[in-house]
Short mmCIF file of all heavy atoms in Angstrom, two decimals:
data_model
loop_
_atom_site.label_atom_id
_atom_site.label_comp_id
_atom_site.label_asym_id
_atom_site.label_seq_id
_atom_site.Cartn_x
_atom_site.Cartn_y
_atom_site.Cartn_z
N PRO A 27 45.94 -41.70 5.96
CA PRO A 27 46.99 -42.05 6.76
C PRO A 27 47.41 -43.73 6.68
O PRO A 27 48.53 -44.01 7.09
CB PRO A 27 46.48 -41.78 8.18
CG PRO A 27 45.06 -41.81 8.05
CD PRO A 27 44.77 -41.36 6.61
N HIS A 28 46.50 -44.47 6.08
CA HIS A 28 46.63 -45.91 6.13
C HIS A 28 47.15 -46.37 4.79
O HIS A 28 47.37 -47.59 4.50
CB HIS A 28 45.38 -46.68 6.52
CG HIS A 28 44.98 -46.40 7.95
ND1 HIS A 28 45.57 -46.73 9.00
CD2 HIS A 28 44.01 -45.63 8.37
CE1 HIS A 28 45.04 -46.34 10.13
NE2 HIS A 28 43.98 -45.66 9.69
N GLU A 29 47.36 -45.34 3.91
CA GLU A 29 47.85 -45.76 2.46
C GLU A 29 49.30 -45.72 2.40
O GLU A 29 49.93 -44.67 2.66
CB GLU A 29 47.09 -44.93 1.47
CG GLU A 29 47.36 -45.34 0.06
CD GLU A 29 46.51 -44.57 -0.90
OE1 GLU A 29 45.80 -43.61 -0.42
OE2 GLU A 29 46.64 -44.69 -2.21
N ASP A 30 49.99 -46.80 1.74
CA ASP A 30 51.35 -46.65 1.59
C ASP A 30 51.68 -46.02 0.30
O ASP A 30 50.88 -45.55 -0.46
CB ASP A 30 51.96 -48.03 1.78
CG ASP A 30 51.54 -49.06 0.74
OD1 ASP A 30 51.11 -48.45 -0.47
OD2 ASP A 30 51.40 -50.21 1.02
N ALA A 31 53.10 -45.83 -0.03
CA ALA A 31 53.48 -45.23 -1.20
C ALA A 31 53.00 -45.94 -2.52
O ALA A 31 52.86 -45.22 -3.56
CB ALA A 31 55.08 -45.08 -1.07
N SER A 32 52.77 -47.14 -2.51
CA SER A 32 52.34 -47.91 -3.70
C SER A 32 50.86 -47.59 -3.97
O SER A 32 50.42 -48.03 -4.94
CB SER A 32 52.59 -49.41 -3.53
OG SER A 32 51.80 -49.99 -2.54
N GLY A 33 50.16 -46.98 -3.02
CA GLY A 33 48.75 -46.74 -3.26
C GLY A 33 47.97 -47.85 -2.59
O GLY A 33 46.66 -47.75 -2.74
N SER A 34 48.45 -48.86 -1.94
CA SER A 34 47.58 -49.83 -1.43
C SER A 34 47.14 -49.38 -0.02
O SER A 34 47.78 -48.63 0.58
CB SER A 34 48.42 -51.16 -1.26
OG SER A 34 49.54 -51.04 -0.43
N ARG A 35 46.00 -50.10 0.49
CA ARG A 35 45.47 -49.75 1.78
C ARG A 35 45.36 -51.08 2.58
O ARG A 35 45.15 -52.11 2.07
CB ARG A 35 44.07 -49.18 1.61
CG ARG A 35 44.23 -47.69 1.12
CD ARG A 35 42.80 -47.19 0.90
NE ARG A 35 42.87 -45.81 0.67
CZ ARG A 35 42.82 -44.80 1.54
NH1 ARG A 35 42.62 -45.14 2.84
NH2 ARG A 35 42.84 -43.48 1.27
N SER A 36 45.36 -50.74 3.86
CA SER A 36 45.04 -51.96 4.76
C SER A 36 43.53 -52.16 4.75
O SER A 36 42.83 -51.26 4.39
CB SER A 36 45.49 -51.60 6.24
OG SER A 36 44.69 -50.53 6.82
N ASP A 37 43.06 -53.42 5.32
CA ASP A 37 41.75 -53.68 5.26
C ASP A 37 40.94 -52.71 6.11
O ASP A 37 39.75 -52.44 5.94
CB ASP A 37 41.49 -55.06 5.71
CG ASP A 37 42.07 -56.06 4.66
OD1 ASP A 37 42.11 -55.75 3.59
OD2 ASP A 37 42.29 -57.16 5.11
N SER A 38 41.56 -52.11 7.16
CA SER A 38 40.79 -51.24 8.03
C SER A 38 40.66 -49.85 7.67
O SER A 38 39.97 -48.99 8.15
CB SER A 38 41.49 -51.21 9.45
OG SER A 38 42.85 -50.75 9.28
N ALA A 39 41.47 -49.47 6.54
CA ALA A 39 41.47 -48.04 6.16
C ALA A 39 40.25 -47.81 5.23
O ALA A 39 39.67 -48.80 4.44
CB ALA A 39 42.66 -47.81 5.12
N PRO A 40 39.60 -46.63 5.28
CA PRO A 40 38.54 -46.33 4.38
C PRO A 40 38.89 -46.34 2.89
O PRO A 40 40.03 -46.13 2.58
CB PRO A 40 38.10 -44.88 4.90
CG PRO A 40 39.30 -44.30 5.39
CD PRO A 40 40.14 -45.53 6.06
N GLU A 41 37.86 -46.55 2.07
CA GLU A 41 38.21 -46.32 0.65
C GLU A 41 38.64 -45.01 0.33
O GLU A 41 38.25 -43.97 0.79
CB GLU A 41 36.95 -46.73 -0.15
CG GLU A 41 36.59 -48.22 0.02
CD GLU A 41 37.61 -49.10 -0.57
OE1 GLU A 41 38.21 -48.79 -1.62
OE2 GLU A 41 37.87 -50.14 -0.01
N LEU A 42 39.61 -44.90 -0.66
CA LEU A 42 40.10 -43.61 -1.09
C LEU A 42 38.96 -42.71 -1.72
O LEU A 42 38.96 -41.49 -1.46
CB LEU A 42 41.22 -43.84 -2.21
CG LEU A 42 41.84 -42.55 -2.73
CD1 LEU A 42 42.47 -41.82 -1.57
CD2 LEU A 42 42.77 -42.82 -3.75
N SER A 43 38.13 -43.32 -2.43
CA SER A 43 36.98 -42.55 -3.02
C SER A 43 36.17 -41.86 -1.98
O SER A 43 35.67 -40.80 -2.11
CB SER A 43 36.18 -43.50 -4.02
OG SER A 43 35.55 -44.49 -3.26
N SER A 44 35.90 -42.49 -0.85
CA SER A 44 35.14 -41.99 0.22
C SER A 44 35.91 -40.91 0.90
O SER A 44 35.27 -39.94 1.17
CB SER A 44 34.89 -43.22 1.27
OG SER A 44 34.25 -42.54 2.42
N PHE A 45 37.27 -41.00 0.91
CA PHE A 45 38.01 -39.96 1.61
C PHE A 45 37.92 -38.77 0.64
O PHE A 45 37.77 -37.55 1.09
CB PHE A 45 39.42 -40.45 1.74
CG PHE A 45 40.29 -39.35 2.32
CD1 PHE A 45 40.34 -38.86 3.61
CD2 PHE A 45 41.21 -38.70 1.36
CE1 PHE A 45 41.23 -37.99 4.02
CE2 PHE A 45 42.04 -37.73 1.92
CZ PHE A 45 42.13 -37.39 3.16
N GLU A 46 38.16 -38.96 -0.64
CA GLU A 46 38.06 -37.86 -1.58
C GLU A 46 36.73 -37.17 -1.58
O GLU A 46 36.55 -35.97 -1.63
CB GLU A 46 38.39 -38.30 -2.98
CG GLU A 46 39.79 -38.81 -3.14
CD GLU A 46 40.03 -39.35 -4.46
OE1 GLU A 46 38.94 -39.74 -5.19
OE2 GLU A 46 41.25 -39.60 -4.84
N SER A 47 35.71 -37.97 -1.56
CA SER A 47 34.36 -37.45 -1.57
C SER A 47 34.00 -36.59 -0.33
O SER A 47 33.47 -35.51 -0.43
CB SER A 47 33.29 -38.60 -1.55
OG SER A 47 31.96 -38.12 -1.55
N GLU A 48 34.49 -37.02 0.88
CA GLU A 48 34.39 -36.15 2.01
C GLU A 48 35.09 -34.77 1.95
O GLU A 48 34.59 -33.84 2.31
CB GLU A 48 34.67 -37.05 3.15
CG GLU A 48 33.69 -38.11 3.56
CD GLU A 48 32.23 -37.68 3.86
OE1 GLU A 48 32.13 -36.59 4.56
OE2 GLU A 48 31.32 -38.25 3.27
N THR A 49 36.36 -34.98 1.49
CA THR A 49 37.22 -33.84 1.34
C THR A 49 36.54 -32.84 0.31
O THR A 49 36.49 -31.60 0.56
CB THR A 49 38.62 -34.19 0.82
OG1 THR A 49 39.17 -35.12 1.81
CG2 THR A 49 39.47 -33.05 0.64
N SER A 50 36.05 -33.36 -0.85
CA SER A 50 35.44 -32.45 -1.79
C SER A 50 34.26 -31.81 -1.26
O SER A 50 33.98 -30.57 -1.43
CB SER A 50 35.09 -33.22 -3.11
OG SER A 50 36.34 -33.75 -3.64
N ARG A 51 33.43 -32.64 -0.53
CA ARG A 51 32.22 -32.07 0.13
C ARG A 51 32.56 -30.87 1.11
O ARG A 51 31.98 -29.88 1.06
CB ARG A 51 31.47 -33.18 0.80
CG ARG A 51 30.01 -32.74 1.38
CD ARG A 51 29.35 -33.91 2.11
NE ARG A 51 29.06 -34.90 1.01
CZ ARG A 51 29.34 -36.12 0.96
NH1 ARG A 51 30.36 -36.58 1.89
NH2 ARG A 51 28.99 -36.90 0.05
N PHE A 52 33.47 -31.08 1.90
CA PHE A 52 33.92 -30.12 2.91
C PHE A 52 34.40 -28.81 2.18
O PHE A 52 34.00 -27.72 2.41
CB PHE A 52 35.04 -30.58 3.76
CG PHE A 52 35.55 -29.49 4.66
CD1 PHE A 52 34.92 -29.17 5.81
CD2 PHE A 52 36.74 -28.95 4.40
CE1 PHE A 52 35.38 -28.18 6.67
CE2 PHE A 52 37.35 -27.97 5.11
CZ PHE A 52 36.79 -27.54 6.33
N VAL A 53 35.28 -29.01 1.15
CA VAL A 53 35.75 -27.88 0.39
C VAL A 53 34.57 -27.04 -0.22
O VAL A 53 34.56 -25.85 -0.20
CB VAL A 53 36.88 -28.29 -0.54
CG1 VAL A 53 37.21 -27.06 -1.51
CG2 VAL A 53 37.97 -28.88 0.16
N VAL A 54 33.78 -27.71 -0.82
CA VAL A 54 32.61 -27.03 -1.70
C VAL A 54 31.77 -26.44 -0.66
O VAL A 54 31.34 -25.31 -0.83
CB VAL A 54 31.86 -28.14 -2.48
CG1 VAL A 54 30.65 -27.50 -3.05
CG2 VAL A 54 32.63 -28.60 -3.56
N GLN A 55 31.28 -27.03 0.55
CA GLN A 55 30.46 -26.44 1.50
C GLN A 55 31.19 -25.12 1.91
O GLN A 55 30.51 -24.18 2.10
CB GLN A 55 30.27 -27.38 2.61
CG GLN A 55 29.44 -26.79 3.67
CD GLN A 55 29.11 -27.75 4.86
OE1 GLN A 55 29.14 -29.00 4.64
NE2 GLN A 55 29.08 -27.32 6.10
N LYS A 56 32.43 -25.23 2.26
CA LYS A 56 33.22 -24.11 2.75
C LYS A 56 33.19 -22.93 1.78
O LYS A 56 32.97 -21.69 2.14
CB LYS A 56 34.65 -24.46 3.16
CG LYS A 56 35.46 -23.37 3.76
CD LYS A 56 36.76 -23.94 4.28
CE LYS A 56 37.64 -22.86 4.92
NZ LYS A 56 38.07 -21.78 4.04
#
């Protein structure tokens, strides 16, 4: 939610790789 169209993030936003990792982990577990 904190990433704009250019792909940049605010300092307070979590890293994209962390978000992807959590999403992948949830999908695989399910």
Side-chain angles (χ1 to χ4, degrees):
H28 300 287
E29 185 176 1
D30 59 28
S32 66
S34 62
R35 286 177 170 269
S36 66
D37 293 338
S38 60
E41 292 295 324
L42 181 60
S43 60
S44 175
F45 176 79
E46 290 173 347
S47 178
E48 290 302 316
T49 301
S50 298
R51 181 178 295 117
F52 172 79
V53 171
V54 171
Q55 177 180 328
K56 184 173 182 292

